[in-house]
Amino acid sequence: WRKVPRAPVRASFRPMPLVWAAAAVLLVVFGATQWLVRDAWRMDVIEGRVTQRGPALAGRLPVGGACVTDASSRVRVQVPGMGEVELEPGSALRRRAAGRGHARLALEHGTMHARIVAPPRLFVVETRVGVATDLGCEYTLSLDRERSGSLRVTHGRVAFSDHGREAFVPAGAWGPLSPDGV
């Protein structure tokens, strides 16, 4: 057996831990990006220039992201399966986390016009004075920086709750908003 040549010893393949760690990080980043893009709502700039705050994707509004219009800008946000929201000049709107099949926004200040065709109570808009809950309708919600504004309903009904009270505003009616609520 001494005359039989030995087979060359091959180095066993041992992946480096650093390579596996880098691959795992890339996979997580790619997966998170795909989730954000898939769940982000489309924004169409109607006029002017719209800025984004928080998590930002070009032309999309992810959970936690906000769009802000200047004095001459307007933007339309598509709410998948529910309708659309139009943000007027001088406004700020943030998308909040909501359960599956629900949509939640927060109007920080300014004016938004919502056209929603979803079943009641699936679309909600928070403000600093209360919460507007859509009951299948079209409405305009305005709020200035001093927490005064109005809720005007043009079709359907909106429930507005504040400080443990709830008011129902029907089509053709409006309600003033103040720091005390509706």
Side-chain angles (χ1 to χ4, degrees), residues 62-133:
V63 173
C67 57
V68 181
T69 58
D70 62 17
S72 62
S73 301
R74 292 183 0 186
V75 65
R76 182 177 298 117
V77 178
Q78 301 296 328
V79 183
M82 292 189 185
E84 64 185 24
V85 172
E86 194 170 304
L87 198 58
E88 298 295 324
S91 303
L93 184 73
R94 178 173 303 281
R95 182 168 169 213
R96 308 284 299 216
R100 186 175 202 87
H102 290 73
R104 195 169 193 93
L105 296 171
L107 180 64
E108 295 174 8
H109 61 83
T111 301
M112 62 162 270
H113 182 75
R115 286 184 244 3
I116 303 299
V117 293
R121 301 197 180 274
L122 297 183
F123 181 78
V124 175
V125 179
E126 300 172 2
T127 69
R128 294 180 290 157
V129 297
V131 178
T133 303

Side-chain angles (χ1 to χ4, degrees), residues 95-178:
R95 182 168 169 213
R96 308 284 299 216
R100 186 175 202 87
H102 290 73
R104 195 169 193 93
L105 296 171
L107 180 64
E108 295 174 8
H109 61 83
T111 301
M112 62 162 270
H113 182 75
R115 286 184 244 3
I116 303 299
V117 293
R121 301 197 180 274
L122 297 183
F123 181 78
V124 175
V125 179
E126 300 172 2
T127 69
R128 294 180 290 157
V129 297
V131 178
T133 303
D134 176 83
L135 300 175
C137 61
E138 185 172 341
Y139 63 95
T140 301
L141 183 60
S142 297
L143 190 68
D144 62 20
R145 293 179 192 272
E146 286 76 40
R147 299 178 4 186
S148 293
S150 66
L151 170 64
R152 292 186 185 281
V153 180
T154 54
H155 179 72
R157 286 191 318 170
V158 174
F160 194 88
S161 57
D162 60 349
H163 313 295
R165 299 174 302 206
E166 188 171 48
F168 291 93
V169 183
W174 72 280
L177 303 179
S178 72

